[in-house]
Amino acid sequence: MAERILSLAAQEGPERLQEALQSLAEGELGDMVTRQALKGRETAALLRGIFKGSPCSQRSGVLRRLQVYKHCVPLVESGDLHLGKVSEIIGLLMLEARQLPGHALAELANLFVDVIKGGSLTNGKSLELFSTVLTALASSKENLAYGKGELNGEEFKKQLINTLCSSKWDPQCVIHLANMFRDIPLSGEELQFVVEKVLRMFSKLDLQEIPPLVYQLLLLSAKGSKKTVLEGIIRFFNQLDKRQKEEQRVPQSLDLEVATMPLDQLRHVEGTVILHIVSVINLDQDLGEELIRHLKTEQQKDPGRALCPFSVALLLSVAVKHRLQEQIFEFLKTSITRSCKDLQFLQASKFLQDLFPQQYDITAVILEVVKNSAFGWDHVTQGLVDLGFSLMESYEPKKPFGGKAADNSYGLSKMPAQQACRLGASILLETFKVHEPIRSDILEQVLNRVLTKAASPVRHFIDLLSNIVVSAPLVLQTSSSKVTETFDNLSFLPIDTVQGLLRAVQPLLKVSMSVRDSLILVLQKAIFSRQLDARKAAVAGFLLLLRNFKVLGSLSSSQCSQAIGATQVQADVHACYNSAANEAFCLEILGSLRRCLSQQADVRLMLYEGFYDVLRRNSQLASSIMETLLSQIKQYYLPQPDLLPPLKLEGCIMAQGDQIFLQEPLAHLLCCIQHCLAWYKSTVRLCQGAEDDDEEEEEEGVGFEQNFEEMLESVTRRMIKSELEDFELDKSADFSLSSGVGVKNNIYAIQVMGICEVLIEYNFNIGNFSKNKFEDVLGLFTCYNKLSEILREKAGKNKSALSNKTARSFLSMGFVSTLLTALFRDNTQSHEESLAVLRSSTEFLRYAVSVALQKVQQLEEMGQTDGPDGQNPEKMFQHLCKITQVLLWRYTSIPTVVEESGKKKGKSISLLCLEGLLRIFNTVQQLYSARIPQFLQALDITDGDAEETDINVTEKAAFQIRQFQRSLVNQLSSAEDDFNAKETQSLITVLSTLSKLLDPASQQFLQFLTWTVKVCKENALEDISCCKGLLSLLFSVHVLYKSPVGLLRELAQDIHACLGDIDQDIEVEGRCHFAVVNAKTAAPTVCLLVLGQVDKVLEEVDWLIKKLTSLGSDTSDSSQASDRTQALEKGVILQLGTLLTVYHELVQTALPAGSCVDTLLRSLSKTYAILTSLIKHYIQACRSTSSTIPGRLEKLVKLSGSHLTPQCYSFITYVQNIHSESLSFLEEKKKKKKEDEAAAVSTVMAKVLRETKPIPNLIFAIEQYEKFLIHLSKKSKVNLMQYMKLSTSRDFRINASVLDSALQERNSEDAENEPHNDQSSTAEQTDENQEPKKKRQRKK
């Protein structure tokens, strides 16, 4: 039969063909097509023949065609046919489909919907036909039956799509369906249906099937709904990431359905999806723009949902395209700083923490992206590197190198900008560890920045470089050419940069001979450079090499401060260099350094400060170094035993024209000798004693050791005998820095004082508690003290800031801790007599404590101190603990009052101890935050041997706090004559510093808060600074417990009671909550502090309103969002309500003109602005939902209308009255016309103009608030304006009573003297016009 139809189809007339087809039974036609298709014969020709014999003009033809279509769709989907044959059949059916009438198309479309619902699609090829059917249907003009009614083609298509998207889809056919919808013309609404349905199917698909489906969706998004597509993809992967994290957190998951997602598979799928999105964005830039726009909007609402690891990785991949890079990085940087600020904001307020229990930290998210990128996400790495450098450059430290502590790697970064910079470094370091191919690129960029940014601080880049080298030292070998190139520029870099850079790349010098040799060449050239900085760089470099290339036989330096990781250079790489070669190499360097001993003082100083460290790490160089130092000191030492002074000071200075310079820092040289000798005696000789194999060297060592000892003994003896006149220094000498003689005398004085200090340390250390030696120490101190007194006296006369600086002490930190312990804590019987010598001198005790204070200050500011181990954080920490123990014992044991009774001049020792403790507590929190538990453990003498594993910081801190609380209570309860304001202030600051260590959730914290409140309530402090400190402490502690608004209200009531009411007839109720608020402190001190704290609360409220507004625009998770919104609204309204009562008190207070009035007016303007933004939020809420306004808002508006606005206007009148009094006083001055008072007049004018400036702003803010209240009243149908009175304060005011009396007076005088009246009325007008004139003047 098939052959017959084919032959008939070949003929021209269709009549016989139609007859043949009509003769076929219903099932035969389908069977024939199936047979023909399975045999692979001319199926297309057969179908063409059938269609030719079934014209659409005849009903039977249409039915036959439908029959063929209905048969072919299952046939194609059966999978029995070859794919080529399937394409051929579908292609023909698609061509013919457009000829079908509308009702046939509708029937066919319904067939397809049933097939899809039934889930019988296998290869999805027939869907190409479905898209053609739907497209044809949409353009059909006839009305089609649908249910009981009729629809046109477009409407019918819409209903079909709706039905399709509402029904269940087989997961296998989702990709085919998504592909099909691309070919159908869809309206925006239909497209949204489709996209949402496909996104819902994500969770039902296997993970591997997601990337192709995402690709189809992205292509579909070219029609529209871009935002929905991106949002759905990001949300899906965000949820998967969260679920993955949960599984990792709870590894023994009982729910087997959940725990079925291998991590590497998820990451690879995410990587593929990101690549798909990036490739589509390359073709469709609008999609990229939409991504950024969507994330910006989401970030306002919920940053945790917007910037998750997946979306950040996606952004960084897109950022490689330069057109969007700037936008993306700007958005990410803003988000990072905002996240850091928000975290900081939340941590500072318990009120906000309660409202936002979950805190979002973007830094953790970005570092997670770096970790995830290890799964082959090469497309993300470039974006990560660029972001890292962008952050480090945008937020780099702005300080010069003077303030090192702020940039120190062990310092704690608090500011958002510092945290962003630190995050940039972490991104680069982690990326460097994870991705090998990009390592050399990161290293090169870091080195380039160290070189090119030499003018600005590069400490953060050097720290990064150091961490990079530690993480992978051998990577530097591959980039050694870049490092060598950097060395060529060493002589042009600042000395701090050079030292940091060399310290960072130092491990490389041990494994790469070529790099070491190139460095030595550069340094040897630099030693002869004209530039002083270049020569200093050379010395720094050579000292570093000497420290790190050990000579055989050198002691292992356990106290080495810069550890070199075992992975870097095992056993100093003896395979590369033997230590004999090292010895020759080190001696050659020492030869180069000896030349530096004839250069400027700065260069020599570096050498003297560096020799001790070299010796400590490379003990075999001892004899060479000691010989060098011996020959150097002999140039200035006078050996004759009776010659005074013992040293040639004139050889230490050099004159150039009129100017005099220090040539040889003699005190530093002696200091270096003293430390090296002490180390040599304690270490090397012990070891040599154990192994008597090298007698010759030992004799040589004993030779210079003996020389030094004799020399130092002789210098000590003669320095004690010397008078100031022997150094050409006495009270009559000139110490002004403007003359050559004065400069010379200053240099001499500082050198002599330094030598005395060095000898004090030397004699104390070798004295072994002998009385004679301690008498020598005291004799040296007497010499030091005389000079110190003279310099202080002369500096006092000159009043010069430069000369007021105390000379930096030469005592080492270790010695200071030993000395203080001996002076104050040594109870050994045998030491008693000798220590009594030193203890008898109060001046010496005060000197010891003040040097400790100076050392701690230096550590706080620079992160290190002078002298041995000054750069070793571990040793510094140990010394700090010892010093703190002593100072704490001394302060708590001997009260200042006892001491001050016998005091003559200068600060008492107890007060110095307190200042020292304050500095130490600050320094430890700043530099050693991780070691606070050990620090507190060291202070607790009763519990010295406890285990370090479980130290409760809060308990230990509370114990220390209690000691200072006792001291403060004693101060406050002492008689007026004994009250020491300075000490009270320091105690309050110490308490404030220690309170930061308490856990806000602990019982101890609550006790401390209660105590602080009690102190403020019971003590009528009249000292301004103490009152300020105490209230600041109260506020800082209170905000971490709960919102301080109730406290502020009580303080405001106290201020009102103290200063009286603006209406003098009103007697203010004398309720006093806080005794600290009294006539002396109420204004301006307490008032300004209260307003400052009110401003902080207003900032929090403003921040919350912004969060509310962004939550209001969020449409998802409605029930959860509405609960959260209600909680926030309640919080905001309660805060504002209490603040209004605070203002209610303050605006009725008779504040003195000046800063209080000015600040209050500005603060009121801000409050009204925030009230306005709250009202705007409710207007927006009324627009988007039909909800009514809450009752508590109505109460707030009522409160503002009754308790604030009327009082504000009265306060404005009061302020203007004060100023009019000032102006009337001014008028009197003008009348006197005294020229010498012109300046005073202009000052008063300027002051009045300045202080009335905030008034118009306040009136404008009140009226804006009322304007938006009217809007809200209309929207909510609640009359909120019933609580508001009309405003009366304007540039002009008509006072009714004054006007009446003036009119009566005028009428009575009218008849008497008309001309006179004219004059008086003119005068009156002039008076009335006076104020507007002033206003105009103000605008100029």
Side-chain angles (χ1 to χ4, degrees):
M1 187 66 190
E3 286 83 357
R4 186 173 168 223
I5 287 172
L6 284 168
S7 62
L8 288 171
Q11 296 172 11
E12 281 191 21
E15 292 81 9
R16 290 182 63 199
L17 179 60
Q18 285 173 10
E19 285 170 18
L21 286 170
Q22 277 168 355
S23 67
L24 285 172
E26 196 173 314
E28 282 181 43
L29 186 65
D31 293 343
M32 183 172 64
V33 172
T34 305
R35 278 197 303 276
Q36 198 77 354
L38 287 172
K39 287 175 187 172
R41 293 189 185 161
E42 298 167 309
T43 318
L46 175 64
L47 288 171
R48 255 185 235 105
I50 294 171
F51 288 143
K52 186 176 178 183
S54 312
C56 289
S57 51
Q58 297 173 4
R59 188 167 180 280
S60 59
V62 171
L63 288 172
R64 203 175 303 118
R65 282 186 177 227
L66 266 179
Q67 200 181 339
V68 171
Y69 274 93
K70 284 177 182 177
H71 185 77
C72 282
V73 170
L75 177 66
V76 166
E77 288 296 336
S78 66
D80 298 335
L81 303 183
H82 188 269
L83 274 178
K85 187 64 69 184
V86 168
S87 299
E88 190 181 12
I89 293 171
I90 290 293
L92 182 64
L93 293 178
M94 282 163 71
L95 276 173
E96 294 294 332
R98 293 192 178 278
Q99 296 178 26
L100 287 172
H103 64 88
L105 287 169
E107 197 175 330
L108 201 50
N110 281 323
L111 165 77
F112 270 108
V113 170
D114 293 339
V115 169
I116 293 166
K117 279 183 182 176
S120 53
L121 285 177
T122 52
N123 57 18
K125 272 293 190 183
S126 61
L127 289 176
E128 292 176 32
L129 174 59
F130 187 28
S131 66
T132 311
V133 169
L134 282 176
T135 309
L137 195 59
S139 54
S140 170
K141 299 288 183 235
E142 61 184 286
N143 284 344
L144 306 167
Y146 183 82
K148 292 180 181 176
E150 287 189 343
L151 298 171
N152 64 24
E154 184 62 47
E155 286 291 321
F156 194 89
K157 180 200 76 170
K158 186 176 179 180
Q159 286 299 335
L160 272 179
I161 289 174
N162 202 345
T163 310
L164 194 58
C165 291
S166 309
S167 59
K168 190 179 177 184
W169 289 3
D170 181 4
Q172 290 179 327
C173 68
V174 178
I175 296 172
H176 302 308
L177 284 165
N179 187 20
M180 174 201 80
F181 281 115
R182 283 171 50 206
D183 302 327
I184 302 170
L186 298 168
S187 68
E189 196 181 341
E190 290 164 353
L191 183 63
Q192 191 73 11
F193 275 152
V194 171
V195 166
E196 283 172 4
K197 174 66 180 173
V198 175
L199 287 170
R200 284 199 299 276
M201 291 302 295
F202 271 21
S203 54
K204 296 182 175 65
L205 292 181
D206 188 41
L207 206 54
Q208 298 294 347
E209 291 174 352
I210 300 284
L213 178 56
V214 165
Y215 189 66
Q216 292 300 333
L217 250 185
L218 290 166
L219 295 177
L220 183 60
S221 74
K223 292 171 177 282
S225 291
K226 290 181 170 61
K227 182 187 165 196
T228 313
V229 169
L230 290 167
E231 187 179 3
I233 295 169
I234 290 169
R235 185 181 297 154
F236 174 72
F237 283 107
N238 191 11
Q239 284 166 352
L240 282 186
D241 280 342
K242 281 181 183 169
R243 201 188 311 163
Q244 181 69 39
K245 264 191 207 162
E246 284 299 319
E247 283 175 30
Q248 285 174 341
R249 200 175 295 132
V250 191
Q252 304 83 15
S253 178
L254 300 172
D255 190 350
L256 291 174
E257 281 184 32
V258 177
T260 51
M261 202 192 324
L263 179 66
D264 56 341
Q265 188 186 348
L266 172 63
R267 296 287 172 252
H268 286 123
V269 165
E270 286 179 339
T272 313
V273 167
I274 289 173
L275 274 176
H276 282 328
I277 298 175
V278 172
S279 64
V280 174
I281 286 176
N282 290 344
L283 303 171
D284 180 6
Q285 291 284 2
D286 291 346
L287 189 65
E289 301 280 359
E290 186 57 55
L291 172 70
I292 297 170
R293 209 164 28 246
H294 162 65
L295 289 178
K296 277 183 180 173
T297 316
E298 277 293 300
Q299 204 248 354
Q300 295 291 334
K301 301 175 195 169
D302 182 0
R305 203 167 63 196
L307 290 172
C308 55
F310 178 79
S311 62
V312 171
L314 174 57
L315 277 175
L316 291 171
S317 304
V318 174
V320 178
K321 291 284 139 197
H322 289 291
R323 204 174 82 77
L324 296 171
Q325 187 176 36
E326 200 175 318
Q327 262 180 293
I328 288 173
F329 280 174
E330 207 49 54
F331 167 58
L332 283 174
K333 284 193 291 191
T334 313
S335 302
I336 288 165
T337 47
R338 185 180 293 161
S339 166
C340 295
K341 277 178 191 165
D342 283 358
L343 268 176
Q344 201 179 13
F345 212 51
L346 285 165
Q347 283 161 4
S349 166
K350 184 74 171 75
F351 166 66
L352 290 179
Q353 285 167 25
D354 292 342
L355 288 173
F356 289 89
Q358 289 180 319
Q359 297 175 3
Y360 168 72
D361 185 8
I362 195 170
T363 54
V365 170
I366 293 178
L367 290 174
E368 197 174 324
V369 172
V370 180
K371 195 172 76 179
N372 294 349
S373 68
F375 294 92
W377 292 8
D378 295 340
H379 42 88
V380 179
T381 50
Q382 190 56 53
L384 280 169
V385 171
D386 291 346
L387 177 66
F389 280 114
S390 179
L391 282 170
M392 286 187 80
E393 287 177 331
S394 303
Y395 304 108
E396 62 190 1
K398 297 290 184 281
K399 272 194 195 173
F401 259 93
K404 275 186 188 171
D407 312 334
N408 253 337
S409 54
Y410 46 79
L412 198 67
S413 56
K414 299 277 189 197
M415 302 304 292
Q418 286 175 317
Q419 288 172 330
C421 181
R422 188 69 52 88
L423 173 64
S426 304
I427 291 170
L428 291 169
L429 178 61
E430 295 305 314
T431 309
F432 184 90
K433 288 178 184 174
V434 170
H435 297 281
E436 215 165 303
I438 209 160
R439 283 178 176 179
S440 56
D441 180 38
I442 293 176
L443 182 67
E444 189 169 333
Q445 287 202 52
V446 172
L447 287 170
N448 282 342
R449 280 164 172 81
V450 170
L451 290 180
T452 54
K453 290 178 167 287
S456 56
V458 286
R459 178 65 186 255
H460 51 307
F461 284 115
I462 287 175
D463 286 345
L464 172 61
L465 179 65
S466 182
N467 291 332
I468 281 174
V469 176
V470 169
S471 70
L474 296 175
V475 78
L476 279 160
Q477 271 195 296
T478 55
S479 307
S480 58
S481 59
K482 185 67 201 165
V483 178
T484 314
E485 193 184 312
T486 310
F487 288 159
D488 293 340
N489 295 293
L490 276 188
S491 50
F492 305 111
L493 297 176
I495 186 68
D496 294 295
T497 307
V498 171
Q499 285 177 317
L501 182 62
L502 291 177
R503 213 174 289 134
V505 299
Q506 161 251 316
L508 178 64
L509 303 175
K510 297 200 170 190
V511 289
S512 171
M513 203 165 193
S514 60
V515 173
R516 191 190 76 170
D517 292 344
S518 66
L519 175 62
I520 291 172
L521 272 174
V522 168
L523 295 178
Q524 281 180 334
K525 276 185 202 166
I527 264 189
F528 299 105
S529 165
R530 286 183 175 184
Q531 303 297 322
L532 178 62
D533 269 2
R535 294 202 295 278
K536 284 165 79 173
V539 170
F542 277 142
L543 286 170
L544 182 97
L545 290 169
L546 284 177
R547 281 203 297 274
N548 290 300
F549 285 87
K550 283 195 179 168
V551 179
L552 191 63
S554 284
L555 301 166
S556 62
S557 172
S558 58
Q559 62 269 50
C560 170
S561 68
Q562 183 169 349
I564 301 163
T567 52
Q568 292 176 354
V569 205
Q570 277 293 346
D572 285 347
V573 195
H574 287 298
C576 293
Y577 305 123
N578 58 32
S579 33
N582 275 356
E583 183 166 16
F585 162 70
C586 288
L587 291 173
E588 182 192 339
I589 290 177
L590 269 176
S592 298
L593 286 178
R594 280 196 192 98
R595 296 192 196 107
C596 297
L597 290 174
S598 58
Q599 294 190 2
Q600 281 98 327
D602 282 4
V603 180
R604 299 185 195 194
L605 197 63
M606 284 192 73
L607 267 179
Y608 299 151
E609 287 178 346
F611 270 152
Y612 175 80
D613 261 353
V614 170
L615 202 60
R616 203 164 52 85
R617 302 218 193 157
N618 219 341
S619 56
Q620 285 298 91
L621 297 175
S623 55
S624 304
I625 289 175
M626 297 302 253
E627 287 295 340
T628 306
L629 291 171
L630 188 59
S631 63
Q632 188 70 7
I633 192 70
K634 277 182 176 174
Q635 297 174 33
Y636 306 99
Y637 173 64
L638 299 166
Q640 296 89 331
D642 300 323
L643 204 60
L644 298 180
L647 298 162
K648 284 189 284 191
L649 286 181
E650 57 274 11
C652 299
I653 56 170
M654 182 180 74
Q656 268 185 5
D658 296 340
Q659 291 183 308
I660 290 179
F661 300 100
L662 175 68
Q663 176 72 10
E664 175 67 72
L666 194 57
H668 284 89
L669 173 58
L670 261 181
C671 189
C672 177
I673 289 171
Q674 184 251 316
H675 288 308
C676 291
L677 186 62
W679 179 85
Y680 184 80
K681 282 161 72 176
S682 66
T683 316
V684 175
R685 286 190 61 196
L686 288 174
C687 300
Q688 284 178 348
E691 29 176 276
D692 294 328
D693 54 350
D694 200 345
E695 288 175 19
E696 188 184 324
E697 191 177 314
E698 193 176 329
E699 280 170 26
E700 184 190 321
V702 170
F704 65 67
E705 186 186 331
Q706 197 174 345
N707 261 333
F708 276 133
E709 283 180 349
E710 286 170 3
M711 190 184 291
L712 289 167
E713 180 62 40
S714 170
V715 172
T716 302
R717 199 179 61 253
R718 288 188 275 164
M719 282 296 283
I720 294 167
K721 286 181 187 172
S722 300
E723 294 294 327
L724 293 183
E725 286 79 3
D726 296 329
F727 301 105
E728 300 171 22
L729 300 170
D730 56 22
K731 286 193 176 180
S732 59
D734 174 18
F735 285 96
S736 68
L737 293 174
S738 51
S739 67
V741 177
V743 171
K744 185 193 80 167
N745 288 341
N746 265 301
I747 291 173
Y748 278 7
I750 288 166
Q751 290 305 311
V752 172
M753 285 163 72
I755 291 163
C756 287
E757 285 193 302
V758 171
L759 293 171
I760 286 172
E761 183 166 343
Y762 173 73
N763 284 289
F764 187 96
N765 286 338
I766 64 160
N768 197 14
F769 293 92
S770 92
K771 189 175 179 184
N772 293 341
K773 282 292 175 193
F774 283 6
E775 281 168 353
D776 288 352
V777 166
L778 212 53
L780 288 163
F781 173 69
T782 310
C783 177
Y784 169 91
N785 204 32
K786 279 181 196 167
L787 263 177
S788 176
E789 290 289 322
I790 291 173
L791 281 180
R792 203 174 298 132
E793 196 179 304
K794 299 282 182 183
K797 283 178 188 170
N798 293 343
K799 295 289 181 201
S800 140
L802 185 72
S803 55
N804 250 327
K805 280 188 178 174
T806 319
R808 195 174 274 180
S809 173
F810 279 80
L811 302 185
S812 64
M813 187 80 161
F815 175 66
V816 170
S817 70
T818 310
L819 178 64
L820 286 174
T821 311
L823 290 175
F824 296 123
R825 299 288 283 141
D826 193 335
N827 300 322
T828 317
Q829 196 65 44
S830 56
H831 299 167
E832 197 70 39
E833 189 186 356
S834 53
L835 282 171
V837 174
L838 296 178
R839 288 171 180 167
S840 64
S841 165
T842 316
E843 286 295 329
F844 185 71
L845 297 177
R846 187 178 296 139
Y847 159 74
V849 177
S850 57
V851 170
L853 197 62
Q854 188 193 89
K855 290 284 170 191
V856 174
Q857 185 174 356
Q858 193 186 4
L859 186 64
E860 184 183 20
E861 288 169 2
M862 310 288 286
Q864 58 189 49
T865 64
D866 297 331
D869 298 321
Q871 295 180 354
N872 180 341
E874 181 54 43
K875 284 280 172 72
M876 285 299 106
F877 179 70
Q878 289 168 11
H879 296 323
L880 262 187
C881 291
K882 277 179 75 178
I883 290 172
T884 315
Q885 278 179 358
V886 178
L887 296 184
L888 196 56
W889 178 86
R890 174 67 175 72
Y891 179 72
T892 48
S893 307
I894 305 174
T896 327
V897 183
V898 177
E899 192 183 331
E900 283 185 343
S901 54
K903 190 188 78 166
K904 291 174 187 173
K905 55 183 175 174
K907 282 183 184 172
S908 70
I909 295 171
S910 286
L911 200 51
L912 280 172
C913 289
L914 185 58
E915 279 181 34
L917 288 168
L918 174 55
R919 279 201 176 278
I920 289 169
F921 293 142
N922 271 327
T923 307
V924 169
Q925 286 189 32
Q926 190 179 323
L927 300 185
Y928 300 103
S929 55
R931 305 204 53 189
I932 285 172
Q934 289 81 3
F935 174 73
L936 292 171
Q937 178 79 16
L939 298 193
D940 195 349
I941 302 155
T942 55
D943 192 20
D945 303 323
E947 284 292 312
E948 280 203 6
T949 46
D950 187 28
I951 301 169
N952 185 331
V953 174
T954 297
E955 273 181 26
K956 299 277 181 198
F959 175 73
Q960 299 302 337
I961 283 172
R962 282 195 292 278
Q963 300 194 58
F964 292 106
Q965 281 176 324
R966 280 194 289 276
S967 302
L968 182 59
V969 169
N970 291 340
Q971 268 296 331
L972 295 172
S973 55
S974 61
E976 204 171 316
D977 300 344
D978 295 334
F979 178 73
N980 185 331
K982 179 77 180 146
E983 184 176 357
T984 308
Q985 208 175 334
S986 297
L987 278 168
I988 292 167
T989 318
V990 166
L991 286 170
S992 179
T993 310
L994 286 175
S995 69
K996 292 173 190 164
L997 302 178
L998 296 176
D999 174 15
S1002 66
Q1003 193 59 37
Q1004 289 90 336
F1005 184 86
L1006 184 56
Q1007 285 166 358
F1008 180 65
L1009 172 61
T1010 315
W1011 178 84
T1012 312
V1013 172
K1014 185 168 177 274
V1015 167
C1016 291
K1017 284 191 169 179
E1018 293 174 2
N1019 292 283
L1021 264 177
E1022 292 194 343
D1023 183 83
I1024 301 292
S1025 53
C1026 293
C1027 167
K1028 203 171 184 178
L1030 198 55
L1031 278 177
S1032 301
L1033 169 63
L1034 176 60
F1035 289 144
S1036 66
V1037 178
H1038 201 287
V1039 289
L1040 295 175
Y1041 177 64
K1042 64 175 183 182
S1043 173
V1045 283
L1047 181 74
L1048 292 170
R1049 178 171 55 199
E1050 290 183 356
L1051 283 164
Q1053 287 168 352
D1054 289 351
I1055 295 169
H1056 190 188
C1058 258
L1059 297 176
D1061 199 274
I1062 52 177
D1063 185 347
Q1064 293 170 2
D1065 301 335
I1066 293 177
E1067 183 79 26
V1068 184
E1069 191 184 325
R1071 53 201 163 173
C1072 183
H1073 303 98
F1074 289 90
V1076 81
V1077 183
N1078 50 55
K1080 281 195 177 176
T1081 58
T1085 311
V1086 178
C1087 182
L1088 288 177
L1089 278 171
V1090 167
L1091 286 171
Q1093 195 60 37
V1094 163
D1095 268 6
K1096 285 181 185 170
V1097 178
L1098 284 174
E1099 273 174 33
E1100 289 176 11
V1101 170
D1102 193 28
W1103 185 79
L1104 281 174
I1105 293 172
K1106 282 176 185 153
K1107 290 278 174 200
L1108 265 177
T1109 311
S1110 57
L1111 276 174
S1113 56
D1114 192 359
T1115 49
S1116 59
D1117 303 331
S1118 56
S1119 63
Q1120 194 182 346
S1122 70
D1123 290 348
R1124 195 170 174 197
T1125 304
Q1126 279 178 7
L1128 291 184
E1129 284 175 353
K1130 183 181 176 183
V1132 166
I1133 290 171
L1134 288 176
Q1135 290 290 86
L1136 281 173
T1138 319
L1139 280 185
L1140 291 188
T1141 60
V1142 174
Y1143 284 121
H1144 174 68
E1145 295 292 338
L1146 290 177
V1147 291
Q1148 294 183 82
T1149 306
L1151 294 170
S1155 55
C1156 288
V1157 170
D1158 193 41
T1159 313
L1160 179 55
L1161 288 170
R1162 290 177 201 282
S1163 189
L1164 283 165
S1165 300
K1166 193 188 275 189
T1167 306
Y1168 276 108
I1170 287 169
L1171 281 168
T1172 308
S1173 55
L1174 180 65
I1175 298 300
K1176 283 179 182 172
H1177 159 69
Y1178 278 106
I1179 292 172
Q1180 190 60 43
C1182 285
R1183 275 189 198 137
S1184 52
T1185 59
S1186 56
S1187 60
T1188 56
I1189 58 169
R1192 62 172 74 93
L1193 176 71
E1194 209 173 325
K1195 284 179 186 169
L1196 180 72
V1197 173
K1198 185 177 180 180
L1199 189 66
S1200 70
S1202 62
H1203 276 59
L1204 190 60
T1205 310
Q1207 284 80 357
C1208 276
Y1209 287 128
S1210 309
F1211 186 67
I1212 289 170
T1213 310
Y1214 164 74
V1215 172
Q1216 288 175 331
N1217 288 341
I1218 302 176
H1219 292 138
S1220 62
E1221 283 169 23
S1222 304
L1223 289 172
S1224 60
F1225 166 74
L1226 182 74
E1227 290 296 326
E1228 284 173 27
K1229 292 249 177 182
K1230 274 185 181 175
K1231 284 171 191 172
K1232 289 176 186 173
K1233 289 185 179 174
K1234 288 186 180 174
E1235 287 176 18
D1236 56 334
E1237 287 178 353
V1241 170
S1242 60
T1243 310
V1244 174
M1245 277 292 282
K1247 191 179 172 191
V1248 168
L1249 292 175
R1250 189 175 62 250
E1251 288 176 2
T1252 50
K1253 206 172 186 178
I1255 293 176
N1257 297 339
L1258 173 57
I1259 293 170
F1260 175 73
I1262 293 173
E1263 290 180 354
Q1264 281 294 100
Y1265 170 56
E1266 290 173 357
K1267 170 185 159 186
F1268 283 99
L1269 271 181
I1270 294 168
H1271 281 307
L1272 182 58
S1273 299
K1274 287 176 183 171
K1275 285 269 181 293
S1276 63
K1277 309 287 187 292
V1278 177
N1279 181 14
L1280 295 169
M1281 286 306 290
Q1282 64 184 333
Y1283 309 116
M1284 293 289 152
K1285 292 178 183 173
L1286 285 175
S1287 56
T1288 58
S1289 204
R1290 282 287 180 279
D1291 280 358
F1292 61 91
R1293 281 192 300 277
I1294 298 170
N1295 192 326
S1297 57
V1298 174
L1299 183 66
D1300 284 344
S1301 61
L1303 284 171
Q1304 285 167 12
E1305 204 174 306
R1306 187 167 181 174
N1307 291 338
S1308 63
E1309 288 178 5
D1310 218 11
E1312 293 174 21
N1313 195 343
E1314 205 162 330
H1316 174 70
N1317 285 343
D1318 286 344
Q1319 285 166 13
S1320 68
S1321 65
T1322 315
E1324 215 169 288
Q1325 282 171 358
T1326 315
D1327 284 339
E1328 280 182 9
N1329 291 337
Q1330 196 70 35
E1331 194 151 325
K1333 278 182 187 170
K1334 282 176 225 159
K1335 299 269 179 191
R1336 281 198 294 278
Q1337 189 176 352
R1338 189 175 70 228
K1339 287 176 187 170
K1340 280 180 184 176

